[in-house]
Amino acid sequence: MSGLFIKKNGIKKISLMWLISGLLFCSQAFALTLSEAKQQGRVGETLSGYLAPLKQDPESVALTVKINDARKQQYTQVARDNNVSTEDVAKLAGQKLVARAGKGEYVRGINGQWLQK
């Protein structure tokens, strides 16, 4: 399905690699905090391409906002470069991030429920 999405919307492989690299860089900027938050079940990945807090404590919410702001900037740039919507880029990234979530981390399924991998 993602292959069809890529062909249909004209996103080049290099742009996707740039996006994924950027997401990894974004995550590395907060690596310990983001990793800890995921391992502790405080935040989880969603199919929308953005993190969501599972716990509403100030640290989890603040981390979620920081990461999501950085992701949105990256999604917007990739969307502009490829003449597609930011939402389409975010959804494609969300599919990849959910699929790559580590063991024990939480992801929100298509039914809206949180699942622990």
Side-chain angles (χ1 to χ4, degrees):
M1 180 171 173
S2 60
L4 292 174
F5 175 83
I6 293 168
K7 288 180 183 178
K8 181 178 177 186
N9 291 305
I11 295 178
K12 299 174 187 166
K13 286 183 181 180
I14 194 149
S15 294
L16 287 176
M17 294 305 296
W18 179 81
L19 171 66
I20 299 301
S21 297
L23 291 174
L24 292 174
F25 174 74
C26 169
S27 297
Q28 288 173 353
F30 304 103
L32 285 174
T33 306
L34 179 57
S35 295
E36 288 174 358
K38 285 182 173 185
Q39 290 170 357
Q40 295 171 10
R42 296 169 72 173
V43 300
E45 293 291 352
T46 69
L47 292 169
S48 69
Y50 298 99
L51 284 176
L54 280 89
K55 307 211 183 228
Q56 297 299 316
D57 62 276
E59 295 84 7
S60 298
V61 172
L63 176 65
T64 300
V65 169
K66 283 183 184 179
I67 296 293
N68 287 343
D69 286 348
R71 286 183 180 184
K72 186 170 184 171
Q73 288 177 0
Q74 292 174 332
Y75 298 157
T76 301
Q77 183 62 47
V78 171
R80 260 190 242 136
D81 292 346
N82 293 282
N83 296 318
V84 297
S85 74
T86 300
E87 183 178 308
D88 285 342
V89 174
K91 285 181 181 179
L92 179 60
Q95 292 171 359
K96 292 182 181 293
L97 290 166
V98 165
R100 292 181 182 170
K103 183 178 180 181
E105 294 179 2
Y106 285 86
V107 297
R108 186 179 289 156
I110 58 173
N111 62 1
Q113 299 296 312
W114 288 106
L115 308 166
Q116 189 173 21
K117 283 187 118 182

